[in-house]
Amino acid sequence: MSQVLFSFFRYPIRQVPGALLLMGFQRLLAGRDRPAGVVRLMGCGSGDGFSVVPDLRAYCLMRVLANPNDEARLRRSRFYRAVAESSSDQLHFSLAPLSGRGTWDGEAVFDYRGASSTDRPLAVLTHARVTPGRAIDFWRSVPGIRSQLRETPGCPYHIGFGEDPLLTLATFSVWDAPASMQAFAYRNTPHHRAGRASRQEDWLSESMFVRFAVERVEGHLERYPRLAAILGSRARHPQHPDRSVESRTQ
């Protein structure tokens, strides 16, 4: 199975121009030392990411790598060092795909072969590409979903990001157990009603929903106490911006 990692970086104000350049020219800056696979640097929305207004200080680096050794190779690359070394806040999630549906840019990105269910904390990824004529309807539904997430005790971490601040939105959320996620997704809630409307009224030209087992988390977990609590691990500030303290799920 492929190796799946999501990293979230926050930068001080003085590093914003460099982060923007990295995101805009990432293909040109990839270099020969970056391994093959899906490697995408994307911007986050303001607040918790569920916004058309970008947060120029926050970015997501998604990678899906065929070889387990490729992550170490990527972290040695010029591209990754440029992304990581100037950041002030990092979180890194190592994940195992469990199940999913849909595509991202027409591609079935994740490999679910050999995956099994889990009672451990899990992460959920959604990705939506909005039909231009339905963008207003789509974004009107987002504040209710964001409020619901904030009030859900079983979701200690969530963030939104994307390639286009108006026409794409990806969400990444961590859940203490499958039951918490299912209660959020399938009961008569703002999220459920928006999902039904999106299908009935063709809001989306493409969508994806994926569940992952959370295998490992590393980074500045002391800044996210609810997340650290469900992982059952101690959090402390890493000694190096890219040598984060590993926190294993129990």
Side-chain angles (χ1 to χ4, degrees):
M1 293 179 63
S2 58
Q3 186 178 28
V4 179
L5 302 107
F6 280 78
S7 293
F8 298 92
F9 299 93
R10 177 165 288 276
Y11 298 89
I13 290 293
R14 67 181 182 278
Q15 299 294 344
V16 164
L20 280 171
L21 286 172
L22 277 171
M23 185 176 67
F25 296 97
Q26 57 188 293
R27 291 185 180 180
L28 297 176
L29 298 172
R32 295 181 179 179
D33 55 350
R34 196 175 83 171
V38 177
V39 180
R40 289 180 177 157
L41 183 65
M42 296 168 281
C44 298
S46 60
D48 50 9
F50 289 64
S51 174
V52 295
V53 180
D55 181 351
L56 300 181
R57 297 179 58 190
Y59 297 83
C60 169
L61 181 64
M62 177 180 81
R63 51 247 197 244
V64 185
L65 306 172
N67 188 323
N69 297 321
D70 283 346
E71 172 63 7
R73 178 182 169 191
L74 177 66
R75 292 200 180 200
R76 293 192 298 268
S77 70
R78 181 182 63 175
F79 169 76
Y80 186 90
R81 294 199 309 271
V83 171
E85 289 179 356
S86 58
S87 68
S88 58
D89 188 320
Q90 300 181 15
L91 274 179
H92 307 281
F93 296 86
S94 297
L95 308 168
L98 294 173
S99 63
R101 61 180 182 270
T103 59
W104 188 318
D105 287 344
E107 182 181 358
V109 179
F110 303 104
D111 180 4
Y112 310 110
R113 290 177 298 175
S116 59
S117 60
T118 179
D119 292 327
R120 294 182 297 168
L122 72 154
V124 171
L125 171 72
T126 70
H127 181 262
R129 187 171 299 278
V130 185
T131 303
R134 293 294 188 177
I136 293 176
D137 296 317
F138 175 83
W139 284 105
R140 279 177 176 167
S141 73
V142 170
I145 297 171
R146 175 171 50 196
S147 297
Q148 182 191 355
L149 270 173
R150 287 174 176 170
E151 296 167 2
T152 300
C155 180
Y157 181 83
H158 64 274
I159 191 167
F161 53 93
E163 310 98 308
D164 182 318
L166 182 61
L167 296 179
T168 66
L169 175 63
T171 68
F172 181 88
S173 54
V174 178
W175 299 84
D176 60 357
S180 299
M181 183 275 294
Q182 291 166 356
F184 170 82
Y186 300 118
R187 291 180 182 172
N188 187 22
T189 62
H191 178 272
H192 180 73
R193 292 191 292 272
R196 183 172 55 197
S198 70
R199 293 187 295 271
Q200 294 175 348
E201 302 174 20
D202 295 326
W203 288 4
L204 308 179
S205 59
E206 184 181 48
S207 64
M208 172 178 276
F209 176 88
V210 184
R211 295 189 308 123
F212 303 92
V214 178
E215 294 193 323
R216 188 171 66 253
V217 182
E218 51 187 3
H220 293 88
L221 272 166
E222 75 280 3
R223 302 181 187 179
Y224 306 91
R226 291 180 60 206
L227 179 61
I230 73 159
L231 297 174
S233 54
R234 298 178 180 179
R236 62 183 177 86
H237 194 285
Q239 298 302 309
H240 185 278
D242 193 42
R243 293 180 182 173
S244 308
V245 176
E246 183 177 293
S247 302
R248 295 185 180 274
T249 56
Q250 302 300 310

